[in-house]
Amino acid sequence: GADAALEARVLGVAAGAFDLEDDVELSNPNSAAGLRWRTRLGLHAWYGRGDNFEDALGAFDEAVCDGRARAPLADEVGGRVPAAHYTLLKLAFSSDFEDADALLTSFAHGLRCGEAPGGRWHLALCLRALGVEVAQASLTRLGAAFVEDLCGRGLWHWALLVIAATHDDPEIRERLARDVLERHAWPPDAAGTPGAQLRPGAVEARKRLEEA
């Protein structure tokens, strides 16, 4: 009966044999009877016959490619974005991690802190520090979004730090920094130098001064 079938599945995975789990997923993909990807990966890590976690990831990936295990997606119902936790594991333990954009995309969809531009920007910098190649175009896009987010919250002085850390080209840094200063800082006298006095709310103060 059903109890005997369930017992056979439990004993099978405990012995490191996933044949019954393969059959369940192949016969009825993504059904309630099958295992979620985290559970399946955990079984490979706990009961698999590999020597390390990279072996478990490899066995799990092979099962996914063959349709024997469900794909590690952020949205398991119809989504195609890789789950953030899975891509982080691939980065940490696997040598076949493809590129940073896949991780940044999954990070945005799969983790609450990844929804904000700042979360992805910080992750991109960490990836670069770890030696992972992050395309400058991707870092520029994330940096621009983070700068606008900071400026919109009145934290434009922190936006200057983001600009400096995002761009290696001094001309680009200067141009973007001047743009932020001209929008959010104003000279207290006739010096004509934007940023001579840096303080939040400068745009509103300058408008009131001009209207007086």
Side-chain angles (χ1 to χ4, degrees), residues 190-206:
T193 304
Q197 181 174 345
L198 307 180
R199 60 182 181 180
V203 171
E204 292 75 9
R206 181 165 55 184

Side-chain angles (χ1 to χ4, degrees), residues 118-158:
R120 281 167 282 161
W121 180 81
H122 280 96
L123 177 61
L125 290 187
C126 290
L127 291 175
R128 276 196 166 184
L130 291 171
V132 178
E133 182 176 354
V134 179
Q136 182 60 43
S138 298
L139 188 61
T140 297
R141 183 178 65 253
L142 294 173
F146 194 18
V147 165
E148 290 304 313
D149 178 59
L150 289 170
C151 289
R153 291 186 287 139
L155 301 174
W156 53 268
H157 42 295
W158 287 110

Side-chain angles (χ1 to χ4, degrees), residues 96-112:
D96 64 348
F97 184 76
E98 294 182 359
D99 56 46
D101 281 338
L103 178 57
L104 293 170
T105 300
S106 65
F107 190 71
H109 287 77
L111 299 178
R112 184 178 303 172

Side-chain angles (χ1 to χ4, degrees), residues 53-85:
F53 194 77
E54 185 172 354
D55 292 339
L57 276 173
F60 172 74
D61 288 343
E62 185 177 336
V64 171
C65 291
D66 294 341
R68 295 180 284 113
R70 63 186 61 182
L73 303 175
D75 181 1
E76 296 189 27
V77 183
R80 298 310 306 169
V81 177
H85 297 94

